[in-house]
Amino acid sequence: MEFFKNTNIDFLGKKWYFLAFSLVFSIAGVLSIMFWHHIPLGVEFNGGTQVDVKFASTPDLDLIRKDLDRAGLHDPRLQPYGLAANHEVLITLSQKETSEAALDQGEKQIIQALTSNAPQDKLDLNNSNRDSIADALVKRDPLHLGVTVGGRYQAEAQKIVDYRDKVKGGVLNSLDELKTVTSPEVVSALQNDFFLSNFGVRGVEIVGPQVGAQLRKQAILAVLYSLAGMLVYLWFRFELIYGVAAVVAVFHDTLITIGAFSLTNQEISLTVIAAILTLIGYSMNDTIVVFDRIRENVKLMRRENLAEIVNKSINQTLSRTILTSGLTFLTVLSLYLFGGEVLKGFSFALVVGILIGTYSSIAIAAPMLVAYQEWRISRSGRRLEPVAIDSGRKEKVRVKA
């Protein structure tokens, strides 16, 4: 199947437009990384506390930020999470403690900061655990069972917690909702000791700074090792200049992708690093397809110069490139639109990466071979000559000046 047959687009003739396009996006990303959002690393790399909070109604992020700041929790990172109808927000704090006590303390600080106008001597049922609910019921003993039957109230408390977390998503809007779960006497007792806030903490995660630094180092090394490995592979399979051109193109893709995360202020998590490694492989594969066609055409078009061979090779592989990349792009775009918040960073990296990777294999990698040849010619002072193949290394492609 071919979308484009016998195309004859002068890609190299548009190299200055391509260069301008790449410069604009690369410089915008670098400026954002240096002066604006920097590289928005996730809690896995920076260390800190991440709290998943569900609200009863649409949360006001500015108000939440003010409440946290007033409580001494400065510079929180707020990110809406999941479907808009779920009213969930991820709150990330740069707390560096790693103990269980610190984790509990961080959760309590956030609950206190977000709770306003709480009644005196009452607990928040939306943020109470089973034991605290059971203790209150034992104290009130609404079923007149005696203080020695705490196990019965533990069961009642567990039913309340299960209903709140599994049926109502972690947030009760009214204590009357519990009349379908437990007896009216128990509900009446709860009304004496509890109130309902408009939010519930669904989960707390904490990552220490040492673990974050180690993950950051491993992520950088993983990207560098992959680039170095591909450079050696292409050097062995083609020639060094082919490897350099491909690695520069992939570096260009990676820079623009990270710049896109910085410009949009989206966190770079471990899954995003996995996506970047995936797009490095994808972009390199696309580039190798074009290089392979150039190698074949060098053998067949001995009287043509390299620029004409590169143009023809790109045109010959254009249909395959558009078809393959187009279908892959539709897949990752669906993942981005419908995959949910957990996969949003991963799919965003792939959406940007596939677009830029496809573009760079056409507009960056192959034209670099011609630029290299022209540079060698300008240094030697000789006129452009047809490309030849080294007779002693028939499988290698020589870019001759």
Side-chain angles (χ1 to χ4, degrees), residues 41-50 92-93 205-208 212 267:
L41 294 175
V43 67
E44 300 101 321
F45 298 112
N46 280 330
T49 304
Q50 192 171 61
T92 304
L93 302 170
E205 294 181 4
I206 189 168
V207 178
E267 279 192 356

Side-chain angles (χ1 to χ4, degrees), residues 93-314:
L93 302 170
S94 58
Q95 295 181 347
K96 305 301 182 185
E97 295 84 357
T98 59
S99 65
E100 288 292 329
L103 189 149
D104 292 338
Q105 184 62 27
E107 180 180 354
K108 289 178 181 176
Q109 283 181 302
I110 289 179
I111 291 173
Q112 290 174 357
L114 297 180
T115 304
S116 59
N117 301 321
Q120 290 287 336
D121 302 325
K122 285 193 176 185
L123 299 175
D124 180 8
L125 189 60
N126 278 332
N127 291 290
S128 295
N129 56 30
R130 184 194 64 178
D131 291 341
S132 60
I133 297 173
D135 289 345
L137 291 177
V138 169
K139 185 178 177 182
R140 294 280 178 181
D141 192 16
L143 301 179
H144 307 291
L145 300 174
V147 294
T148 60
V149 290
R152 170 66 187 278
Y153 289 121
Q154 284 279 346
E156 292 293 322
Q158 186 63 54
K159 286 194 296 185
I160 293 169
V161 170
D162 288 344
Y163 177 77
R164 181 193 67 191
D165 295 342
K166 297 178 180 178
V167 179
K168 303 301 292 183
V171 180
L172 294 170
N173 294 312
S174 169
L175 286 172
D176 291 338
E177 296 176 19
L178 296 174
K179 290 181 179 177
T180 60
V181 180
T182 186
S183 65
E185 292 80 7
V186 170
V187 175
S188 178
L190 291 174
Q191 289 173 338
N192 291 320
D193 294 314
F194 292 91
F195 74 99
L196 292 176
S197 65
N198 68 335
F199 69 94
V201 174
R202 293 175 56 85
V204 182
E205 294 181 4
I206 189 168
V207 178
Q210 291 184 345
V211 175
Q214 184 179 0
L215 288 174
R216 191 164 60 244
K217 179 181 176 182
Q218 289 175 339
I220 294 172
L221 288 177
V223 174
L224 293 179
Y225 286 156
S226 65
L227 291 176
M230 290 176 185
L231 174 63
V232 172
Y233 168 73
L234 289 176
W235 187 359
F236 175 78
R237 181 168 175 176
F238 297 97
E239 256 196 35
L240 178 59
I241 181 58
Y242 283 77
V244 172
V247 168
V248 169
V250 170
F251 180 77
H252 157 276
D253 303 341
T254 306
L255 178 63
I256 290 181
T257 303
I258 293 176
F261 272 86
S262 180
L263 286 167
T264 56
N265 199 25
Q266 294 195 55
E267 279 192 356
I268 295 180
S269 62
L270 285 174
T271 57
V272 172
I273 296 299
I276 290 175
L277 291 173
T278 303
L279 78 87
I280 286 175
Y282 183 88
S283 177
M284 191 65 73
N285 179 65
D286 235 17
T287 303
I288 288 175
V289 169
V290 177
F291 283 179
D292 263 336
R293 184 56 60 93
I294 292 174
R295 178 168 61 177
E296 293 171 5
N297 285 336
V298 164
K299 298 175 185 177
L300 299 173
M301 304 164 65
R302 295 170 181 268
R303 304 303 301 173
E304 302 290 338
N305 62 51
L306 184 61
E308 292 170 343
I309 293 175
V310 168
N311 247 340
K312 192 170 187 64
S313 300
I314 295 175

Side-chain angles (χ1 to χ4, degrees), residues 80-94:
Y81 182 76
L83 299 175
N86 291 341
H87 310 310
E88 288 186 70
V89 176
L90 280 178
I91 301 175
T92 304
L93 302 170
S94 58

